Amino acid sequence: MKELANVALNAARAGGASYADIRISRHRDQAVHTREDRVQSVSDAESFGFGVRVLLDGAWGFAASHRVEREAIAEAAARALEMARANRAAVTRPVVLAPNDAYMDTWRSPVEKDPFAVPVGEKAELLLAVNAAALKVPGAKYVSSFMLLRNEWKLFASTDGSVIEQDITRVWPCFTVTAIDPERGEFQTRTAETPPRAAGYEHVEGANLVELAPQMAEEAVQKLTAKSVEPGRRDLILHPTNLWLTIHESVGHPTELDRVIGQEANYAGTSFLTPDKLGKLMYGSPLVSFRADRTIPGGMATCGYDDDGVKTEEWPLVKDGLFVDYQTTREQVLWPEYREARKAAGLPEVTRSHGAAYADSWGSIPFQRNVNIHLEAGKTPLTPDELIASTDDGILIRGDSSYSIDHQRYNFQFSGQVFFEIKGGKIAGMLRDVAYQSNTVDFWNSCDAICDERFWQMGATYWCGKGQPSQSSPCSHGAAPARFRNVNILNTKREV
């Protein structure tokens, strides 16, 4: 593979490229889907190929192929050079890459049990057992369950001298229960709070899906008779299974520097978080700190190196409420808007990428993507029960559901899976039809309590979408239960 990589790098150098890299990668996906007492589908797909990226006179060129052989690699390098020459005419901001060290390394995500070595029949039997356990609950009518396994192996080599091999495995077991009220013709659903992780089959076994199924089914049934929420302003306690998605949309996307500069404006929007706010905007209350982290065990965006060949790290985005940094790639670090904003804010100069580049396949070009971003746990000991006990009139929300947010990632509304009314410091029953509405800055500034690290956990997604052509990237977002004061509550059945 190293010899094949050198074919591309040597051809790029000979063609005048100031930089080039190649990613040879294999992607394997296995999925098992079941419904009630039957297996609906089983799929096992594999894709193998390479992509060559060249930088010529400040313009990128890229070409890819599934034929991993010397001749095809040389041809792809030539096509990438031709594309870069064509792209020069449209360049308004010549690409200049920040410095990066050369690495000779191998990195693998920790896996105790290879999920692809577990027989498909065993996986199907587990999912069918989950369905059977859920359907024992009176009122539970339907159950769908699935298991999604992914492996990403890639070899990265660049003209900087790096040769990096990585092997990343991710798994996701999940199920959804539907309860029916035949008299009223209504239904409610409850999805298990089992997020995907970068791990092996041990994550599936540790999820205790069969034991969890009756609880999810009972909550789906309870939702049928829950009281519809009265709209108005209430305090909110958000569980990490809900809060992770709010973090993703209102913190992850607005801190992407390409979005800030306008490079995503045509498709995924821009960001309210313009460079003049760096080091000046109180993003949240002093309790609120966010860290970006591509090194945390189990994180969906965790890896040893990004797809620019940059060694991954963790860094602060918001510190004690103050906005202090963006997510960056090698191409972005030297942008004058970023450098001047840091200087004006009195922040230290940054000359190296934070390592936020990712491509979802060998046929995709890397660009800036969301990494793992976490709300730091509270520093003072605080349990969820104590948080509820100190809340007079509020709503506790668990699980993620529908949401909407504007193109600047500022005004938003989010819903959830289950909602519990809090009265006088106690859970007073289940609610339904709940959504909360705010804007990013007001919302995070309303945070007045966060539980401690004992209650911190990660939520995640396989499918953060961005770019044209669109790519999907995995990422995780961690939090502990947190309280937000005086948030606007909507009734989703009464308001449009």
Side-chain angles (χ1 to χ4, degrees), residues 30 113-123 147 149 201 205:
Q30 186 183 91
K113 188 173 184 178
D114 181 3
F116 292 95
V118 178
V120 169
E122 183 176 327
K123 296 165 185 168
M147 201 178 297
L149 319 175
Y201 199 74
E205 295 175 330

Side-chain angles (χ1 to χ4, degrees), residues 127 145 175 223 238 286 491:
L127 295 177
S145 57
F175 65 91
K223 288 171 70 174
L238 300 182
N491 184 305

Side-chain angles (χ1 to χ4, degrees), residues 317-336:
L317 296 173
V318 174
K319 188 173 183 179
D320 301 328
L322 183 66
F323 166 51
V324 295
D325 210 349
Y326 294 100
Q327 303 176 69
T328 61
T329 66
R330 287 187 70 183
E331 180 178 348
Q332 298 166 349
V333 173
L334 300 182
W335 284 353

Side-chain angles (χ1 to χ4, degrees), residues 240-262:
T241 54
N242 178 269
L243 196 50
W244 80 267
L245 183 58
T246 309
I247 294 170
H248 179 81
E249 298 295 342
S250 69
V251 183
H253 281 305
T255 56
E256 295 171 327
L257 192 53
D258 58 349
R259 176 188 291 273
V260 171
I261 301 303

Side-chain angles (χ1 to χ4, degrees), residues 238-302:
L238 300 182
H239 191 266
T241 54
N242 178 269
L243 196 50
W244 80 267
L245 183 58
T246 309
I247 294 170
H248 179 81
E249 298 295 342
S250 69
V251 183
H253 281 305
T255 56
E256 295 171 327
L257 192 53
D258 58 349
R259 176 188 291 273
V260 171
I261 301 303
Q263 290 191 347
E264 281 294 308
N266 189 56
Y267 173 61
T270 55
S271 172
F272 77 95
L273 208 55
T274 48
D276 59 293
K277 296 181 175 66
L278 187 64
K280 300 172 185 176
L281 174 68
M282 286 300 292
Y283 207 99
S285 72
L287 294 177
V288 172
S289 293
F290 290 103
R291 293 190 69 80
D293 187 356
R294 298 205 74 176
T295 67
I296 187 169
M300 291 288 281
T302 295

Side-chain angles (χ1 to χ4, degrees), residues 93 261 275 332-342:
R93 183 193 293 267
I261 301 303
Q332 298 166 349
V333 173
L334 300 182
W335 284 353
E337 297 94 332
Y338 179 59
R339 295 169 65 85
E340 291 166 6
R342 292 192 66 86

